[in-house]
Amino acid sequence: MLEFSSERYFREFSEGLKPIAELPLGEKVRIHTQDCYTGQIGRDGSEGPSMGPNPATGPFYIPGAEKGDTLAVRILHIGLPEYGCMRVYPDSSIGAMGEVITRREVQVLPIQDGYALLDGVRVPLRPMIGVIGVAPADGLTIDNDTPGKHGGNMDDNRIGEGATVYLPVSVPGALFGLGDLHAQMGDGEVAICGLEIAGSVDLELSLIKGRQESWPVVERDGGFSVNCSAGTLDEAAYLSRYALHAFIRRRTSLSPEHIAMLQSLVCDLSVCQIVDPLVTVRMALRPGVLDIAF
Ligand code: CA
Ligand code: CA
């Protein structure tokens, strides 16, 4: 299997970046990633300097990818390390729990047999990818702390093993990258971090030519969600419910009214995260309701 180390990473998605390698289509590859602290928190809890936005391994050039295409990323496996880290702050501007956090604290949690241990509490793990994306459209540069139409720091805990992420390609070669793995994270990511880990992702890429959605789409167990990011939860919820409506409309002959009814019945509006520079909301069509594909 082709394997890439976490040594070469970037901190902002941009079409100006030079790709570090080509990633083949239709082949299983393994990509190692730094944790969000760029390895600056030691196993003993010691801290090095802060390093800036999430490091993502890449960017990778995807042969044949052009503006208007969709890059489909099938996530096969996430490899876990022996420990993960968390860091919280009393500062209310970092995270959303500042009113009860009285001191800056670093925790290094051992990972064993599918669990992490937090102050004696066994926390089950469900590994996921925080940052996954491609270079944005219109020559924009977007730092790896911020989510958007290009993907980026969406912090969607459904982006894990078995999921496929569909990203709208905006530049030749897509310039794909990923990082910021979490061994576990709840909806909202309220204290600013998941269980932050360095790790590895086994994935397989494919390209859908000549069509794309405006926002990243995540397929899981045959269900589809659209992830939209904006300055407020209200705005992100507005974007994602209409984006899912458009997604279903393009794939069925149902009327707009009936799609809205279905959305009210078997689609779920929920929060990915509320702590990044833009917040992310997903609206998900449950599996087994419509026989559609991306
Ligand atoms: Ca993140
Ligand atoms: Ca993170």
Side-chain angles (χ1 to χ4, degrees):
M1 184 182 6
L2 256 181
E3 199 162 338
F4 297 90
S5 86
S6 61
E7 274 164 36
R8 298 179 73 187
Y9 54 82
F10 62 98
R11 296 189 190 278
E12 54 189 28
F13 284 93
S14 164
E15 74 175 305
L17 297 184
K18 194 168 176 295
I20 63 166
E22 259 191 26
L23 275 188
L25 297 168
E27 203 177 297
K28 189 168 157 182
V29 300
R30 177 168 294 169
I31 298 173
H32 295 266
T33 59
Q34 305 263 343
D35 69 15
C36 74
Y37 307 115
T38 327
Q40 292 293 307
I41 295 180
R43 195 164 186 169
D44 58 358
S46 60
E47 293 181 79
S50 285
M51 302 287 283
N54 292 296
T57 307
F60 294 98
Y61 190 91
I62 314 303
E66 296 171 298
K67 183 180 162 89
D69 297 343
T70 297
L71 180 64
V73 186
R74 196 151 73 87
I75 298 155
L76 306 168
H77 177 69
I78 296 179
L80 298 174
E82 290 173 352
Y83 69 98
C85 306
M86 302 187 76
R87 184 163 63 193
V88 296
Y89 308 81
D91 180 347
S92 295
S93 68
I94 306 175
M97 295 306 295
E99 289 177 23
V100 292
I101 294 172
T102 55
R103 60 176 192 271
R104 189 173 184 279
E105 181 168 333
V106 172
Q107 278 282 329
V108 177
L109 309 184
I111 291 174
Q112 214 175 9
D113 303 327
Y115 287 86
L117 208 59
L118 173 61
D119 198 11
V121 179
R122 263 159 65 91
V123 178
L125 303 182
R126 182 178 53 169
M128 55 160 280
I129 301 169
V131 171
I132 182 166
V134 293
D138 306 322
L140 287 175
T141 291
I142 300 178
D143 70 69
N144 289 2
D145 285 348
T146 305
K149 290 183 171 177
H150 71 298
N153 195 20
M154 295 181 285
D155 286 315
D156 177 356
N157 58 25
R158 296 191 188 181
I159 301 180
E161 290 175 2
T164 299
V165 184
Y166 298 93
L167 297 164
V169 175
S170 297
V171 308
L175 302 183
F176 168 74
L178 83 180
D180 186 33
L181 305 187
H182 303 152
Q184 177 62 285
M185 191 200 91
D187 285 345
E189 201 187 15
V190 293
I192 194 63
C193 52
L195 180 53
E196 304 292 336
I197 54 170
S200 64
V201 180
D202 294 353
L203 53 82
E204 192 178 310
L205 298 175
S206 56
L207 207 53
I208 297 156
K209 293 298 290 177
R211 63 186 174 86
Q212 61 182 203
E213 298 293 315
S214 302
W215 291 91
V217 171
V218 179
E219 180 177 3
R220 231 189 138 126
D221 307 321
F224 290 91
S225 57
V226 186
N227 285 3
C228 297
S229 301
T232 66
L233 280 174
D234 281 350
E235 204 184 337
Y238 166 88
L239 291 169
S240 61
R241 64 185 183 264
Y242 285 108
L244 183 67
H245 189 279
F247 177 87
I248 295 172
R249 191 147 191 220
R250 278 193 279 278
R251 286 161 178 81
T252 66
S253 54
L254 295 168
S255 71
E257 294 75 17
H258 293 172
I259 294 171
M261 287 178 196
L262 269 182
Q263 282 184 270
S264 214
L265 295 174
V266 288
C267 298
D268 300 298
L269 189 62
S270 54
V271 169
C272 294
Q273 57 76 25
I274 60 166
V275 293
D276 296 335
L278 299 176
V279 301
T280 305
V281 166
R282 72 170 90 77
M283 187 150 205
L285 166 67
R286 293 180 195 168
V289 177
L290 292 174
D291 184 21
I292 57 174
F294 185 91

